[in-house]
Amino acid sequence: AYTAEDDFWKITTFLGERARYANAYKRAGKEISEEQLDEMAANMVRNNVPNYDYVSSMVKSLRRWPVGNFVSFPAEILRTSTNILQTALREIKDPALKRIGWQRLIGMLTVMGAVPYGATKGGQYLYDVSEDELAAIRRFVAPWSKNSTLIPIKNEDGSYKYIDFSHANAYDTIIRPWQSAINEVADGQLNEETIMTNFITGAMKGMGDIA
């Protein structure tokens, strides 16, 4: 069932990306063959959607350790996020695909930022926790949670608990590198090598936090 669900989204992504590219080239008045569209869409799915067949042997070995049983997904998030940024930068440089590139760049950051924000606000709403109370909770949490996305919980006796959402959200480790990349592109800096170097450095720091 899990594999079928995973394949369903890969197929959906393939069809969606193929249609986007076909429409973009049609608007630009450029000719492109059916085979080229198939390969472009397939390449997108292969490199931009998590696929555990691409997990390295080192990461697969870590899965056998008592403390390393959730390493494949973060590893794939790092790989696919890096590829998504590369794809977006390449598309932005192409006049025919520029709109798609910007949609991809902004869309990825929006998803990564909206989910943690919504989780925190949802906890505040459900348990009637104000911003001041949330700030007070943050002052007393464990050191490794100081800068995390916190979901507050208020007990019936008025005491508080929290869920450290950042440690359950693989995307959290790369939000800052993505924001940095978008700022550079918005400033007109389209040097792909420089942007990717900065992004990978920031992402590796995030993976260090997971470790």
Side-chain angles (χ1 to χ4, degrees):
Y2 180 90
T3 302
E5 183 267 347
D6 217 28
D7 289 344
F8 171 80
W9 290 112
K10 286 185 174 71
I11 294 167
T12 302
T13 301
F14 173 84
L15 296 174
E17 292 291 350
R18 192 184 189 284
R20 289 174 78 190
Y21 279 134
N23 291 333
Y25 282 116
K26 185 177 180 181
R27 283 194 304 266
K30 289 187 176 182
E31 296 257 343
I32 185 168
S33 69
E34 297 295 313
E35 291 76 12
Q36 285 176 305
L37 285 172
D38 286 342
E39 183 54 37
M40 290 174 71
N43 186 62
M44 190 69 61
V45 174
R46 195 161 46 240
N47 293 315
N48 294 10
V49 178
N51 186 333
Y52 299 127
D53 286 334
Y54 287 110
V55 174
S56 70
S57 57
M58 183 185 75
V59 172
K60 289 178 179 177
S61 297
L62 283 174
R63 291 170 62 183
R64 300 187 180 95
W65 293 13
V67 296
N69 57 350
F70 190 66
V71 291
S72 293
F73 185 64
E76 272 301 278
I77 289 301
L78 178 58
R79 182 185 74 88
T80 55
S81 296
T82 302
N83 289 337
I84 289 170
L85 178 58
Q86 284 183 317
T87 301
L89 293 175
R90 187 168 61 250
E91 290 168 340
I92 289 172
K93 289 180 180 179
D94 185 338
L97 304 177
K98 187 173 183 178
R99 183 191 300 180
I100 294 177
W102 272 110
Q103 288 175 342
R104 198 179 306 283
L105 199 63
I106 301 298
M108 186 69 175
L109 183 65
T110 301
V111 169
M112 290 190 297
V115 171
Y117 178 81
T120 296
K121 291 302 178 183
Q124 286 183 266
Y125 175 78
L126 287 173
Y127 294 97
D128 192 25
V129 176
S130 68
E131 290 294 334
D132 288 339
E133 289 173 310
L134 181 61
I137 291 171
R138 191 174 291 280
R139 288 200 295 271
F140 290 95
V141 299
W144 53 84
S145 295
K146 290 289 185 184
N147 298 315
S148 295
T149 299
L150 303 181
I151 302 177
I153 298 172
K154 185 185 290 185
N155 296 317
E156 291 183 1
D157 62 1
S159 61
Y160 298 94
K161 294 191 295 186
Y162 71 93
I163 297 172
D164 188 334
F165 185 75
S166 292
H167 287 271
N169 177 21
Y171 286 102
D172 189 81
T173 63
I174 50 175
I175 290 176
R176 288 185 184 181
W178 265 92
Q179 183 63 65
S180 174
I182 283 188
N183 290 342
E184 290 181 47
V185 175
D187 288 339
Q189 301 177 38
L190 289 176
N191 186 323
E192 186 173 340
E193 185 176 346
T194 301
I195 293 174
M196 290 308 305
T197 298
N198 293 340
F199 177 84
I200 292 172
T201 300
M204 292 307 293
K205 288 180 180 176
M207 290 301 288
D209 289 340
I210 284 186

